[in-house]
């Protein structure tokens, strides 16, 4: 099965992306600070600090998603309700960033975002399907749910 390797690959890619996002926002904050740039009269220092905070928050969110995928791979079980919600949010974020990346950055950035999106979605679907198959007797009856005549 490829569930575990896909979850591990997704975790590693998300951790690398978190480091890249953190570095990029740190660098952009330094550029804004050194150039003393201002947007609509905002204080350049406030823009620098807000860039660093935004990069830190997004980086921590990506690290959390990587931890959730790694935990899924180690336990070989689907993530719980909170973990599934966070991973779905990350998948939606990558889909939106991929759509914006085509016009702003280029096709390589789009391909990377779609790779991460695919790893997250494949992990969610593979573990969901596996859990339902293992449930067997606990699975809901097929059809309209009406009792079956013997």
């Amino acid at each position: 099965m490829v569930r575990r390797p896909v979850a591990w690959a997704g975790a590693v890619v998300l951790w690398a992306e978190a480091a890249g996002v953190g570095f990029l926002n740190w660098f952009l904050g330094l550029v804004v600070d050194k150039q003393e740039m201002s947007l609509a009269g905002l204080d350049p220092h406030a823009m620098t600090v807000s860039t660093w905070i935004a990069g830190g928050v997004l980086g921590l969110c990506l690290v959390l998603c990587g931890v959730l995928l790694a935990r899924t791979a180690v336990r070989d079980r689907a993530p719980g309700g909170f973990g599934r919600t966070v991973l779905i949010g990350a998948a939606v974020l990558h889909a939106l960033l991929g759509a914006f990346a085509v016009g702003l950055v280029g096709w390589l950035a789009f391909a990377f975002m779609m790779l991460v999106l695919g790893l997250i979605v494949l992990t969610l679907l593979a573990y969901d399907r596996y859990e339902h198959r293992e449930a067997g007797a606990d699975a809901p009856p097929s059809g309209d749910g009406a009792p079956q005549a013997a």
Side-chain angles (χ1 to χ4, degrees):
M1 292 299 257
V2 296
R3 288 187 320 269
R4 281 184 154 176
V6 168
W8 276 116
V12 169
V13 168
L14 282 169
W15 290 330
E17 184 181 4
V21 164
F23 174 74
L24 179 65
N25 278 286
W26 172 75
F27 178 74
L28 289 175
L30 287 179
V31 168
V32 168
D33 195 41
K34 298 289 183 201
Q35 296 291 322
E36 296 185 13
M37 296 178 182
S38 178
L39 180 67
L42 291 175
D43 179 33
H45 183 68
M47 290 178 60
T48 299
V49 172
S50 63
T51 301
W52 288 338
I53 290 172
V57 169
L58 183 58
L60 287 176
C61 181
L62 292 172
V63 166
L64 172 66
C65 291
V67 167
L68 289 171
L69 286 179
R71 184 174 174 227
T72 299
V74 167
R75 294 174 55 207
D76 200 25
R77 287 186 23 213
F82 173 74
R84 181 173 287 287
T85 303
V86 170
L87 290 173
I88 289 171
V92 170
L93 174 70
H94 281 86
L96 291 172
L97 288 177
F100 289 127
V102 172
L104 296 175
V105 182
W107 288 102
L108 187 60
F110 172 78
F112 177 76
M113 290 296 154
M114 293 303 106
L115 170 74
V116 178
L117 172 67
L119 289 171
I120 293 170
V121 170
L122 184 59
T123 300
L124 288 171
L125 291 177
Y127 277 98
D128 187 45
R129 186 176 315 151
Y130 177 71
E131 294 295 323
H132 286 308
R133 188 174 48 217
E134 287 293 318
D138 296 336
S142 60
D144 61 356
Q148 301 291 328

